[in-house]
Structures are given as C-alpha cells and as structure tokens.
Amino acid sequence: MTDNLIVRAGPFTFLARLETALAPKTCAAIRGILPYRQKLIHVRWSGEAMWIPLGDEDFGIGYENHTSFPAPGQMLIYPGGISETEMLLGYGAVHFKSKMGQLAGNHFLTITSNLEDLTKLGKMVLWEGAQPIEISNAP
C-alpha cells in the first residue's frame, strides 16, 4: 500500500503523501474513508487556510504529530474536544484556532506538487465560496 495520494480541489490537482511514520493512527483512519469527498470552505479564525467542518464525527484518534502552525500544503485533522472535529488545509500563514481559542491538529497529509496553486485555491475559496475536494489513492 502506497502513501501517495491525489487531492483534487476546485479546478486544481495536487499530489500528496500520507505522513504514516509521524501519524500512523490518523493515517489509518483516513485510509479507511478514501476516497473522501467533501467541500472546502475558508477558515474564520486561523488565517490563510481552508477547512472541512465535521461536527461531532469521531475518527477514534487522539493527538499525534499535532501542530497549531501548519506550513502551506500541510493538512491537519482536529479530532474534536473543545471545538468540533474538522480538517484544515493551509495555503499561507496559519495559526489554527476556533472561537474557543488555539487548537492543534494532527498533520497527516502533505501536498507535494503544484504548491503554487494552493494560494490560487485559497483565494478562490475565500472570494467565490466552497469548492469540492476529493482525496483518493494515487494509481
């Protein structure tokens, strides 16, 4: 089984890798839901990022490889707790927060190609609204 993924978001396609060595439980949970389809919306509190609100969905994971400051192209999952469960994809400067305060999410995926398109995607989500996202295994 490969750690390589394809992320299609809006009109853009990115190659990505699962961070299985750093977040094995999180990556196993993500593998279990692939292909994953949802919508990205722009964050409200965290800066230059997009997110997928997941309400009270429970992936059965705790914290591993967690951060509040993901780099562009890093995708996090917040497993829930003081705020709702969510995924976050940074495209610029990010300080992961909610209205409850600072959060930390598990860095489980890293975009490895077409990083220059992340800013375009982020601005599209900000100014044009929600965009579809699909995360799937690479062929």
Side-chain angles (χ1 to χ4, degrees), residues 47-84:
E48 297 174 316
M50 299 155 283
W51 71 303
I52 302 168
L54 299 170
D56 59 359
E57 189 162 341
D58 184 359
F59 287 91
I61 55 173
Y63 288 108
E64 59 180 2
N65 196 36
H66 50 288
T67 183
S68 296
F69 300 95
Q74 293 182 343
M75 192 164 197
L76 312 180
I77 185 165
Y78 174 71
I82 63 169
S83 187
E84 68 180 297

Side-chain angles (χ1 to χ4, degrees), residues 12-57:
F12 304 103
T13 300
F14 307 93
L15 298 178
R17 96 177 154 263
L18 283 173
E19 299 294 346
T20 53
L22 300 171
K25 292 177 185 171
T26 304
C27 290
I30 294 301
R31 278 188 207 277
I33 62 170
L34 295 180
Y36 183 73
R37 294 174 187 90
Q38 191 50 267
K39 291 221 176 186
L40 282 172
I41 59 176
H42 205 275
V43 298
R44 293 178 273 197
W45 319 104
S46 300
E48 297 174 316
M50 299 155 283
W51 71 303
I52 302 168
L54 299 170
D56 59 359
E57 189 162 341

Side-chain angles (χ1 to χ4, degrees), residues 41-42 91 119-131:
I41 59 176
H42 205 275
Y91 68 87
T119 299
K120 295 173 192 170
L121 175 63
K123 289 180 179 183
M124 177 182 282
V125 170
L126 176 64
W127 293 105
E128 297 177 26
Q131 295 294 313

